[in-house]
Amino acid sequence: MALITKKIKGTEDVLPKQSYRWQFIENIMREESRAYGFKEIRTPVFEHTELFARGVGQTTDVVQKEMYTFDTKGGESVTLRPEGTAGAARAVLEHSLENEGLPIKASYFVSCYRYEKPQAGRLREFHQFGIEEYGTQSPIADAEMICVAQSVLDRLGLTDIRLELNSIGCPECRAKYNQALRDYFGEYKDQLCSTCLSRLEKNPMRLLDCKSPEDHKLAEGAPKITDYLCEECENHFKEVQRYLDSAGVKYVINPTIVRGLDYYTKTVFEFVTDCIGAQGTVCGGGRYDGLIEELGGKHLPSLGFAMGLERILMVMDAQGIEIPCPDICALYIATMGDDAKVKAFNLLKQVRECGIIAETDVVGRGLRAQMKYADKIGAKYSMVLGDNEIAENKAKVKNMESGEQTELMLDDTFAEKFSVLNLTDNKAFGI
Ligand code: ATP
Ligand code: MG
């Protein structure tokens, strides 16, 4: 049978047997950000196009080339979110969260959409975990932000990830720096890619973020922002480093990091690895003190980061980090006859209410085939229920690995007794 269609290029399915890996990393991200006082925000998958045009910035790759934008039947231009920051900032403004006390601290999991050339670590639909903090200028907030990301990576067991840190200053120090960049790149106009040529006047810092190998090489010799920071920005940058040192967070200063949003100011950072090929940035973030004003709010210094979930999973694979699968069936009840099916249904409900995974036959297999299935799904225990067991009101639960059998009453003590057995055996197996 021919399928009528397949998934869209650059998208991935997460199948039931893989989803525990996603849940594992998401749980750690939730726990770590929670420990720092961040609460989850959920915003729509699409927004008015102008939000991203302004929020992400007209001169960015994302806005110039990568957005999924379409007109609705009502004639409005809407865009599938290419990132999570703009939507969160819009929600903060729309609900006047600044009146509820500062800082506002939000975390999010979002699917993002960017029309990019699909390759390893670069998809058209991908997923991010991120946090945002609004209403603080303090370098402590910058350091805390970085610590959240570092704690997540540490708890996931990832190694060989470098934290690259930079400050891109405020609009004042940036003006001088931009002129220095225009002067520098102006000498190489004939070597620049067409996109960079068009950015040279409007936003020359974007040239440092160009993916074309020639431009990347040119960028290496460009003037360094760190030589152009004003006193306040320089102090802020030093303070951020002081707090990171105090928390024992290791970093390298990389003056070429500028990040993909137009409204970044001061601190910018990336966590980068060499173990998954060219798309090695697993997390990027920084301060964007101008964003909220740009979106129509008052001046509210803010900062955030986003982590690519697919890339994190790639690093875990590349580094051979095993994720424990919690989705193993603990009890499979095989049944013979209608009465057994009904009894099994009652026992399963009891067991499931204890949070234990339990299953039975729902496709009408014979006993042998049911046992084969129990084996296939890796059930830890099996139990056969037939007329005899029901008559005696007891049955044997078999440990599928050791073959050991334990008799349990089929009454309302069943779930409790089974839980104890399951727990004791788990401990014995070191699970
Ligand atoms: P890159 O330099 O790799 O294009 P970016 O600067 O566009 O990244 P951000 O907008 O900062 O990325 O997004 C944060 C994180 O989201 C990235 O560090 C990366 O881990 C992930 N990410 C970004 N784009 C993609 C994509 N197309 N596919 C998968 N993950 C992505
Ligand atoms: Mg990109």
Side-chain angles (χ1 to χ4, degrees):
M1 203 173 72
L3 290 182
I4 63 154
T5 181
K6 291 200 168 166
K7 67 181 161 61
I8 288 174
K9 192 173 161 192
T11 66
E12 298 278 4
D13 299 310
V14 179
L15 302 176
K17 65 174 183 235
Q18 303 161 335
S19 52
Y20 74 95
R21 305 176 72 243
W22 287 76
Q23 290 161 354
F24 177 84
I25 64 169
E26 287 165 4
N27 284 343
I28 286 182
M29 291 162 179
R30 280 209 174 85
E31 283 170 21
E32 288 307 311
S33 49
R34 198 167 163 265
Y36 282 80
F38 290 85
K39 295 190 186 133
E40 193 172 340
I41 186 168
R42 300 188 188 198
T43 60
V45 74
F46 55 2
E47 299 270 4
H48 293 294
T49 299
E50 63 200 89
L51 174 70
F52 300 115
R54 292 287 284 271
V56 178
Q58 290 287 2
T59 62
T60 58
D61 269 355
V62 170
V63 172
Q64 286 190 339
K65 308 192 269 201
E66 299 172 358
M67 293 207 303
Y68 279 90
T69 297
F70 56 97
D71 287 337
T72 64
K73 285 183 183 162
E76 283 178 311
S77 176
V78 300
T79 294
L80 299 184
R81 66 177 164 224
E83 50 90 60
T85 297
R90 185 219 20 92
V92 162
L93 283 171
E94 196 162 336
H95 300 280
S96 306
L97 297 191
E98 71 277 10
N99 296 337
E100 295 171 20
L102 298 177
I104 305 152
K105 298 169 88 168
S107 61
Y108 60 78
F109 287 93
V110 286
S111 55
C112 301
Y113 304 84
R114 295 187 192 175
Y115 197 79
E116 301 204 71
K117 194 165 158 248
Q119 53 200 288
R122 201 172 282 292
L123 294 159
R124 289 182 173 172
E125 182 191 63
F126 63 98
H127 298 81
Q128 289 183 341
F129 159 68
I131 60 176
E132 315 279 345
E133 184 162 359
Y134 308 88
T136 166
Q137 309 206 43
S138 167
I140 303 178
D142 303 53
E144 272 188 344
M145 179 85 23
I146 293 172
C147 283
V148 176
Q150 182 71 64
S151 309
V152 167
L153 301 175
D154 287 347
R155 266 198 63 197
L156 291 172
L158 306 184
T159 52
D160 298 321
I161 296 189
R162 1 178 242 289
L163 164 58
E164 301 194 347
L165 188 65
N166 191 21
S167 170
I168 54 172
C170 61
E172 273 104 85
C173 29
R174 197 103 51 88
K176 282 187 233 145
Y177 180 55
N178 277 340
Q179 194 47 52
L181 285 178
R182 274 185 212 110
D183 294 345
Y184 170 80
F185 284 110
E187 300 280 314
Y188 302 99
K189 267 187 181 162
D190 48 336
Q191 296 177 38
L192 294 175
C193 73
S194 56
T195 324
C196 280
L197 204 54
S198 71
R199 290 161 168 166
L200 187 58
E201 275 315 305
K202 274 191 244 146
N203 194 348
M205 265 174 65
R206 291 255 68 83
L207 273 67
L208 301 175
D209 203 28
C210 183
K211 300 282 185 297
S212 114
E214 294 80 30
D215 293 6
H216 199 73
K217 224 174 164 56
L218 280 179
E220 281 171 15
K224 306 279 180 258
I225 178 72
T226 31
D227 295 330
Y228 291 80
L229 294 181
C230 68
E231 200 182 331
E232 194 213 315
C233 289
E234 175 135 19
N235 283 339
H236 183 92
F237 194 33
K238 281 198 182 127
E239 284 294 292
V240 173
Q241 294 172 51
R242 214 171 120 206
Y243 284 102
L244 289 177
D245 292 340
S246 152
V249 175
K250 300 269 174 298
Y251 52 88
V252 287
I253 294 185
N254 177 353
T256 64
I257 296 182
V258 293
R259 305 292 314 127
L261 251 90
D262 268 359
Y263 301 106
Y264 276 106
T265 47
K266 295 184 175 159
T267 315
V268 287
F269 62 88
E270 288 185 352
F271 285 87
V272 189
T273 178
D274 298 322
C275 73
I276 53 168
Q279 321 306 331
T281 306
V282 293
C283 174
R287 183 169 271 288
Y288 34 79
D289 290 346
L291 176 67
I292 294 292
E293 251 170 313
E294 190 62 36
L295 296 180
K298 59 180 187 189
H299 180 68
L300 201 62
S302 308
L303 61 164
F305 75 64
M307 224 176 236
L309 301 192
E310 285 84 357
R311 290 192 195 170
I312 295 276
L313 286 166
M314 282 170 75
V315 179
M316 297 197 69
D317 274 346
Q319 300 190 351
I321 297 170
E322 278 187 32
I323 300 174
C325 177
D327 301 337
I328 307 287
C329 175
L331 176 65
Y332 185 87
I333 305 186
T335 54
M336 287 185 296
D338 277 351
D339 289 348
K341 283 196 173 81
V342 174
K343 182 72 187 171
F345 207 65
N346 168 279
L347 298 172
L348 286 166
K349 180 145 196 296
Q350 282 186 42
V351 172
R352 288 165 176 165
E353 276 170 3
C354 300
I356 295 176
I357 305 175
E359 294 188 57
T360 191
D361 176 54
V362 288
V363 294
R365 291 189 171 100
L367 184 62
R368 268 174 69 120
Q370 289 184 53
M371 293 312 288
K372 228 169 135 180
Y373 179 75
D375 209 40
K376 186 173 160 198
I377 61 172
K380 289 198 286 181
Y381 294 89
S382 64
M383 184 171 101
V384 178
L385 271 196
D387 292 341
N388 286 348
E389 283 78 11
I390 291 173
E392 289 175 19
N393 205 30
K394 56 190 178 197
K396 284 187 177 135
V397 173
K398 180 174 161 192
N399 182 319
M400 298 282 274
E401 199 171 287
S402 66
E404 204 174 312
Q405 305 211 29
T406 311
E407 197 165 69
L408 296 182
M409 297 298 294
L410 303 181
D411 54 18
D412 54 13
T413 63
F414 181 82
E416 195 194 325
K417 294 268 161 59
F418 179 74
S419 307
V420 173
L421 182 69
N422 185 38
L423 254 167
T424 323
D425 271 7
N426 279 351
K427 278 197 194 123
F429 290 122
I431 300 172

